[in-house]
Amino acid sequence: MNISKIRTIMAEEGIVFSFSGMISQALTAFMLETAKNQLEEKGEDSKVIRNMCLISIEQLQNVMSYSKNKDTSNSNKYISPGVLVIGIDKKKNKYYVNSSNEIIYDDIEKVTKKIDFINSMNKDELRKHLREKLRSAEDLHDRGAGVGFIEMAKRSSEKIEYDFEHINGKVYFHIKTYI
Amino acid sequence: MENLIIKATQYTPAIDFNLETNILSITGKSYPENTFEYYKPIIFWIEEYLKNVKDEEILINLDLEYLNSSSLKAYFDMFDMLEEANSEGKHIKIKWIYDEDNDISEETGEDFIEDFKNLNIELVVKS
């Protein structure tokens, strides 16, 4: 293991925080506090920090709820393998939140449809769409209202970037949101 | 029926529902993973409370930072229930409290006002 390689990549990619492993609610809270403190120390705008936190919450809770290999043995407290990266895109000079987790094959179409539709909307439309979804509760499930992507899009300065990577019969979902 | 007091955690707010003062306050962050499970006893308490309360003025203080999307749904449903109680003659006033620089919370409050026209919701900037 060449640890200096990791340090070099992190510096090059402008990564301020990253984690790869089992993601839980306790860890989500811890990661958020850590990333938030780091941005505060850098003197970042409170609005940027708030958006970063809200987007990270939605991405991490998506990993927890939809990761293919989630551990659900402890009732409604899931622990799921995933990757989270928070960094600065040096060209755009913007923070981004990026995450990855394995998903089930059948989710590809559903997720694609959902994000493409959200990406077609402007901020006002997103605001309206969210309220309609909250009222209709059509995407409601026992762990959420099915509106996490809408929240991410509302907090983001760009369209949601995503793709699916197929490796040895497994499907990994990657999502990147710029603040 | 007893007062409902729940301490805040890193990701759930402090609950302080007081039967003597008829002031129900929720303060803090709300991004649990099992949001609906978390809010179930809180919603249940409010339901029971609304059955028992009569002409008293009810004040609900909501001072929430970091609402995840499922918490938004939980509050949407809570407002729905409160609006119904209001239309049945209860006197409910809601204060939606936020920091001056928290435009996200301000916008959320504005949306609730828009969606629940029969509820008395006031936006309050924290001093």
Side-chain angles (χ1 to χ4, degrees), chain A residues 46 58 61 76 131 134 143, chain B residues 33 68-69 73 101 114:
Chain A
S46 63
E58 297 304 329
Q61 292 188 332
N76 212 353
R131 289 159 61 192
L134 290 177
R143 286 170 64 86
Chain B
E33 63 171 309
N68 66 354
S69 58
K73 175 63 182 160
D101 70 340
E114 186 79 13

Side-chain angles (χ1 to χ4, degrees), chain A residues 66-80:
Chain A
Y66 300 112
S67 191
K68 191 188 171 194
N69 298 308
K70 57 181 179 258
D71 173 0
T72 60
S73 55
N74 190 5
S75 72
N76 212 353
K77 291 188 167 80
Y78 292 4
I79 303 173
S80 309

Side-chain angles (χ1 to χ4, degrees), chain A residues 25 29 33 46-47 50-51 53-54 58 61 64 76-78 127 131 134-135 141 143 155, chain B residues 11 29 31-34 36-37 66-69 73 76 101-102 104 107 110-111 114-115:
Chain A
Q25 176 65 20
E33 283 302 316
S46 63
K47 288 176 187 171
R50 201 169 278 122
N51 282 329
C53 285
L54 287 166
E58 297 304 329
Q61 292 188 332
M64 286 158 63
N76 212 353
K77 291 188 167 80
Y78 292 4
R127 197 171 167 177
R131 289 159 61 192
L134 290 177
R135 186 170 293 282
H141 56 94
R143 286 170 64 86
R155 307 289 154 238
Chain B
Y11 45 86
K29 295 171 183 165
Y31 62 97
E33 63 171 309
N34 45 359
F36 307 136
E37 204 174 291
Y66 294 117
L67 283 172
N68 66 354
S69 58
K73 175 63 182 160
F76 194 94
D101 70 340
N102 194 343
I104 293 174
E107 193 184 289
E110 285 169 1
D111 284 350
E114 186 79 13
D115 284 330

Side-chain angles (χ1 to χ4, degrees), chain A residues 153-165:
Chain A
K154 278 181 75 183
R155 307 289 154 238
S156 176
S157 62
E158 297 192 14
K159 301 294 178 192
I160 294 173
E161 288 180 7
Y162 72 99
D163 67 73
F164 302 96
E165 189 182 12

